[in-house]
Amino acid sequence: MSYCINPECENPKNPLKARVCKACGSSLFLRGRYKPLKSLGQGGFGATFLAVDLSLPGKPSCVIKQLRPATNVPHLFDMARELFEREAQTLGRIGNHPQVPRLLDYFEDDKQFYLVQEYVKGNNLQQEVKRNGVFSEAGVRQFLSEILPMVQYIHSQQVIHRDIKPANLIRREQDKKLVLIDFGAVKNRVNPEEAANTSDQTALTSFAVGTPGYAPPEQMAMRPVYASDIYAIGITCLYLLTAKSPKDLDYNPNTGEMMWESYVDISNSFASVMRKMLESSVKHRYQSADDVLNALDMEPYMESLAQGLSTGADGGFSGTTGGAVDPNDPSSSNDVTGGPSTSENSRIAMAIRARRERRKGGSGSLRQGLGSRGGQGGVKKNTLNRMAPGSAAMPHKSASSRFKSKGTSAGKAARDKLDARGLLLAYKKGRRDFGQQNLLSLSLPQSNLSGCIFHQSRMMRANFQGANLANADFGKANLAYANLKDANLGRAYFSYTNLSKADLRGADLSYAYLNYAIVDGTNLCGANLTNAKITEEQLKKAKTNWATIMPNGKRGLF
């Protein structure tokens, strides 16, 4: 069968040997050498066709992409031509990669623009999932190991793909390699209605490229960055794991976040990598494909590292009260006097470095790093004397020196370890002061603890989801990684509190005092910060989104 590519043709299908369309009389050859055989897809921007190149021996197959500008206004048409040529040059440059289709030709004919590319025979990932079912975690890891180096190469050529999705990833039949197609050249067009009241430059870029659901917020706002492709890869991973497109997943109406974790069966450490790929806030997302690869390299050590950071020899907190440690950072380790976790974390960090060196082929530097722990190749210790904004330097003290002083109220509190049941019982009997307590991983969701004093208590990874903690005092407490989602924290006191990586999504923080609190990576998506005391500098370090109510009462995003 031959196929007519005239956009106005009502019956484009023709006999294989026909030279002109029987319906509209248009030539069925392009440039006298390309013969379209069938349509592969079309939309408002144009169409894609499977064709053969009659000028080459064997008449090899190729793909023809036809761009149909949405305007006949001369200067806007010239802009469309400039955009088309620039995209063709980009495709020509990146087509040297074996997993990107080569650009074979590009030309203009009868006010239509054409790109001719290598034809990749095979099924796309969307077809694979429909045919074979969802991928396992191991399968998705393998997918990431293939696509991330490819995307890293594309980004190194200063190109943002902008439309990574399962339908644009074809498993080549010849060698089973993934091939990334459709670089958006045919999806850039000028809308004459929008252009009427805008500058030429704005008109050229006003069409937001990307597929809704796969494109992150900054891309839909016409400000794509390299990390935008990382988000799209994360959404593609979700599809591979669930067979659900983004529109089929639930969203939290209060925070605006995608609720995907209940749909997948993956390890906690891999879920952590996925979460960072899917951050709606670009500044908290992985910034490059190499960052994701490094995180996957480090991931097998994550649980051991997190355990080493949170516990010492006696099971107590190993670190300063206000210290914050990021287990995603292999260079971060506890340097606490007398704590055994330093050497363990150093060993883990060295193992992470070894994996990275092996991937990069740096065997020489690896041997040096393993052979001289205290020398040039050794791992440097990173103390946790991390101060809150605006605070003065303070002497570094270990947990044991502060909480094991016999004969003092602090020492008594340290030995008086309460579990969840004991704390609730004490609260019901009228006790409110739980200061300087060891409350690591305490779980009291939906509980009423309003007015409690948790001053200087160690509450890392505590679960207070949905709890009433209004007017509570958390001054100088360690709430790193705590779950405070949907909690009532109105007028709570958090001065010098460590809230790094804590989950405060949907929490009521109205009138809360957060000055000098450490909020690095704190999730404030959908939180109510009306009249809260918190600086703009702090908010820039936290995670916020459009559903976050800022101190001025307006929704916003930092």
Side-chain angles (χ1 to χ4, degrees), residues 73-314:
V73 179
H75 78 284
L76 293 180
F77 188 84
D78 291 341
M79 289 165 58
R81 177 187 288 115
E82 178 186 344
L83 180 62
F84 163 75
E85 291 176 350
R86 185 164 68 243
E87 293 286 353
Q89 292 170 4
T90 298
L91 289 170
R93 185 169 72 251
I94 64 176
N96 295 324
H97 194 280
Q99 289 169 273
V100 175
R102 287 178 293 122
L103 179 68
L104 304 175
D105 198 1
Y106 72 101
F107 53 90
E108 178 184 341
D109 185 23
D110 193 25
K111 294 188 177 181
Q112 308 292 329
F113 301 111
Y114 297 93
L115 293 171
V116 183
Q117 287 184 282
E118 170 190 8
Y119 172 61
V120 180
K121 186 177 181 181
N123 293 321
N124 63 44
L125 292 185
Q126 188 175 42
Q127 293 168 327
E128 271 195 17
V129 169
K130 289 181 178 179
R131 179 177 300 178
N132 304 323
V134 298
F135 283 38
S136 64
E137 178 179 328
V140 174
R141 289 172 181 274
Q142 177 62 32
F143 160 72
L144 288 172
S145 72
E146 285 193 66
I147 190 174
L148 288 169
M150 184 198 324
V151 170
Q152 187 72 359
Y153 165 78
I154 293 167
H155 290 174
S156 73
Q157 302 300 309
Q158 299 182 330
V159 174
I160 304 170
H161 187 279
R162 298 173 291 181
D163 201 17
I164 296 175
K165 58 183 179 181
N168 282 342
L169 285 157
I170 297 177
R171 195 173 301 281
R172 190 162 46 205
E173 188 176 284
Q174 177 185 356
D175 57 6
K176 305 304 180 184
K177 295 280 190 182
L178 284 178
V179 178
L180 182 59
I181 66 170
D182 200 347
F183 281 75
V186 294
K187 293 188 178 181
N188 287 284
R189 64 182 175 90
V190 177
N191 188 322
E193 296 179 1
E194 291 180 0
N197 297 316
T198 60
S199 66
D200 288 354
Q201 183 179 2
T202 304
L204 185 64
T205 59
S206 62
F207 184 67
V209 177
T211 301
Y214 287 89
E218 76 278 358
Q219 182 174 323
M220 299 310 292
M222 295 165 286
R223 293 189 295 271
V225 294
Y226 295 126
S228 303
D229 282 346
I230 303 303
Y231 182 91
I233 293 172
I235 297 291
T236 299
C237 289
L238 279 185
Y239 178 83
L240 299 179
L241 288 165
T242 65
K244 294 181 179 292
S245 63
K247 64 181 177 62
D248 296 324
L249 297 173
D250 295 328
Y251 289 79
N252 187 317
N254 296 321
T255 67
E257 292 186 311
M258 186 187 303
M259 300 170 64
W260 55 271
E261 296 187 36
S262 62
Y263 292 96
V264 300
D265 182 16
I266 56 178
S267 64
N268 291 334
S269 54
F270 187 56
S272 177
V273 175
M274 289 280 294
R275 277 192 291 270
K276 193 162 183 177
M277 293 178 70
L278 294 168
E279 282 284 0
S280 57
S281 174
V282 67
K283 70 177 181 178
H284 296 294
R285 201 180 308 147
Y286 291 117
Q287 297 300 297
S288 69
D290 199 49
D291 287 345
V292 186
L293 286 168
N294 286 338
L296 290 170
D297 276 350
M298 186 177 69
E299 183 221 345
Y301 304 101
M302 289 291 287
E303 291 185 6
S304 297
L305 183 59
Q307 182 179 3
L309 294 173
S310 61
T311 60
D314 61 353

Side-chain angles (χ1 to χ4, degrees), residues 427 432 447-454 467-474 487-494 508-510 512:
Y427 181 84
R432 295 295 180 267
S447 56
N448 178 20
L449 296 168
S450 61
C452 274
I453 298 172
F454 294 106
N468 179 10
L469 293 161
N471 295 292
D473 178 0
F474 293 99
N488 177 7
L489 295 162
R491 300 186 184 276
Y493 183 77
F494 292 100
D508 181 3
L509 288 158
S510 55

Side-chain angles (χ1 to χ4, degrees), residues 322 324 385-394 494-500 513-520 533-542:
N385 220 5
R386 190 173 176 186
M387 304 309 300
S391 63
M394 295 177 64
F494 292 100
S495 186
Y496 295 100
T497 305
N498 180 8
L499 286 164
S500 61
Y513 190 92
L514 290 146
N515 276 354
Y516 309 119
I518 298 173
V519 292
D520 297 30
K533 298 295 183 182
I534 186 170
T535 66
E536 184 173 325
E537 287 71 24
Q538 286 175 286
L539 284 169
K540 287 179 180 178
K541 295 178 181 179

Side-chain angles (χ1 to χ4, degrees), residues 38-61:
K38 66 177 182 178
S39 172
L40 295 176
Q42 58 184 2
F45 58 85
T48 307
F49 306 94
L50 175 64
V52 292
D53 187 348
L54 301 174
S55 68
L56 294 177
K59 300 177 182 178
S61 298

